[in-house]
């Protein structure tokens, strides 16, 4: 039921808000969540493995190789002095 005591206006009383501000706010929120997810992914991927568990390679085409133990250093008294070729 309409109230005919007051004059009806054609213009809305409240000004319509711009959608640009809402779009920018949503876009910034999506970018912030994406950056947060990327940072979390990087942090978890660089986290050291637990002790005693081998680290598996991420690429299945990579073959893990064992590093050989370091050879014991020879004593300097038995070693011949190093000379360059051409120096006598």
């Amino acid at each position: 039921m309409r109230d005919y005591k007051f004059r009806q206006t054609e213009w809305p009383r409240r000004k319509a808000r711009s959608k640009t501000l809402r779009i920018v706010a949503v876009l910034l929120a999506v970018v912030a969540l994406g950056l947060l997810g990327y940072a979390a992914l990087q942090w978890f991927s660089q986290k050291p493995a637990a002790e005693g568990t081998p680290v598996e390679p991420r690429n299945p085409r990579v073959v893990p190789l064992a590093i050989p133990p370091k050879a014991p250093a020879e004593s300097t008294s038995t070693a011949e002095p190093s000379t360059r070729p051409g120096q006598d």
Side-chain angles (χ1 to χ4, degrees):
M1 187 165 124
R2 295 185 76 160
D3 189 4
Y4 292 101
K5 293 180 186 175
F6 301 104
R7 191 173 120 193
Q8 300 292 325
T9 59
E10 295 179 15
W11 304 102
R13 293 184 182 200
R14 196 174 95 191
K15 194 174 187 180
R17 292 184 182 174
S18 174
K19 293 183 181 180
T20 306
L21 183 63
R22 180 177 291 166
I23 291 171
V24 169
V26 169
L27 184 64
L28 286 175
V30 168
V31 169
L33 287 175
L35 288 174
L36 184 65
Y38 180 73
L41 177 69
Q42 291 296 320
W43 185 73
F44 279 116
S45 68
Q46 294 178 0
K47 188 176 176 183
E51 295 295 324
T53 58
V55 177
E56 297 180 15
R58 296 190 183 275
N59 189 348
R61 295 175 53 186
V62 174
V63 178
L65 299 175
I67 299 174
K70 205 174 201 181
E74 296 180 16
S75 63
T76 56
S77 61
T78 60
E80 296 179 12
S82 62
T83 59
R84 293 184 185 170
Q87 288 183 349
D88 288 323

